[in-house]
Structures are given as structure tokens and as C-alpha cells.
Amino acid sequence: MAKKRTASNWSLKPDNRFNSILVSKFINCLMWSGKKATATRIFYDAMDYIQERMPDKHPVDIFTTAVDHVKPTVEVRSRRVGGANYQIPMAVKKERQQSLSIRWIINASRGKSGRPMFRRLADELMAAYRREGEAMAKRESTIKMADANKAFSHFA
């Protein structure tokens, strides 16, 4: 049987500036084509921008709170029962909650255009901190879909 976890779960080192494993994981998810220096610069510039906009709070606290706010509790999974596919609501594990949250924040930032990436990322993180934005909308739609399919939960 294959391993359940990726290597990044146990070999990930904290980042240099904030000494946080979550920040390091986020930078790795933000990275494209192995350009880690670019991803790191984008993330740290976003943190500096957040520091300018919200000087009374620490930017890493805003970041971790934003990631926590976007984490979904339930999601729907497709399951084939008797020739029909059903969307079955299921609880989400902690690791998947974190990875979905990170993915949704990054995709929401990449979906916007017209401004530098660090600014789009900072705006999305601040919006998620205030429980607003595209990533929060994605979370709410996922939870709403699971709630709508609650009748099929006995197939789980």
C-alpha cells in the first residue's frame, strides 16, 4: 500500500523570517516551476503590505487566522451506488482542510488581474481574515453543497 502522506509533511523546515512551517508550506504551494525565490519574495512582500495596511496586528497572525477561517469542515465526495453517482457529504481531515484552504486562497489571488501578485495575495488574505473574499465564498459554497446533499449521508 502507498504512503498516506507526502514527504513535505515530515521534511518541511520552517521559513527563515517567521520561523513557521505553515508559511513554508504556503510558499511551496505558491511556487511555480521550481521558482522558490520568486514565491518567497511574493509572500514576504505580501506580508510587508499587510503590515502597512494593518499596523496594529502581526502579519503572520493575520495569515494564520485567514487560513483558519477558510478551512472547510465538510465537503462532498462522489460515490457510485447502484448505478447512480451521489454527492455524499463527508467530514474533512485536518491535513486536507489546511491544503484546501491554502489552495483556495492562492487560486483566488491568481484569478484576479491588473495588480502585482503580492498585492492580490495580501488583499485576499486580509479579506479572508475579515471572513470575506473569493476563498471564503468557495468555502461557503462547499459547505452549502454538503448541506444540500445531507439526505445522501447514509451512503458514506
Side-chain angles (χ1 to χ4, degrees):
M1 187 166 186
K3 285 190 281 186
K4 293 281 186 191
R5 298 182 183 180
T6 61
S8 66
N9 278 356
W10 65 80
S11 65
L12 198 61
K13 293 179 176 50
D15 72 305
N16 295 328
R17 188 163 163 190
F18 298 116
N19 199 27
S20 169
I21 290 180
L22 180 61
V23 168
S24 185
K25 191 172 190 70
F26 192 88
I27 288 171
N28 285 345
C29 292
L30 185 62
M31 177 173 55
W32 262 354
S33 303
K35 295 185 179 285
K36 190 162 187 170
T38 304
T40 305
R41 190 182 70 242
I42 288 169
F43 183 79
Y44 289 153
D45 288 349
M47 290 294 107
D48 292 340
Y49 186 72
I50 289 172
Q51 183 68 48
E52 289 173 16
R53 298 283 303 270
M54 300 173 121
D56 55 329
K57 296 186 175 21
H58 197 269
V60 174
D61 294 338
I62 292 172
F63 166 71
T64 53
T65 307
V67 170
D68 286 340
H69 285 175
V70 177
K71 286 181 181 176
T73 53
V74 290
E75 68 176 344
V76 291
R77 294 207 166 172
S78 189
R79 181 152 180 208
R80 189 168 178 85
V81 178
N85 287 327
Y86 294 102
Q87 297 289 324
I88 300 171
M90 298 184 125
V92 184
K93 294 179 181 175
K94 294 286 185 199
E95 294 89 11
R96 182 157 170 79
Q97 280 182 355
Q98 188 180 60
S99 62
L100 283 174
S101 172
I102 289 170
R103 191 180 317 151
W104 290 344
I105 290 171
I106 291 172
N107 287 339
S109 301
R110 286 183 180 149
K112 299 173 186 167
S113 62
R115 289 177 300 164
M117 181 61 187
F118 78 90
R119 203 173 231 178
R120 292 181 281 167
L121 179 62
D123 287 341
E124 190 61 39
L125 286 171
M126 288 187 289
Y129 177 76
R130 294 187 304 266
R131 295 183 187 270
E132 302 168 353
E134 287 180 41
M136 282 300 293
K138 177 76 171 165
R139 174 189 185 267
E140 296 304 322
S141 68
T142 302
I143 291 174
K144 202 176 287 185
M145 176 90 77
D147 194 40
N149 289 306
K150 206 174 0 180
F152 304 123
S153 62
H154 65 281
F155 288 129

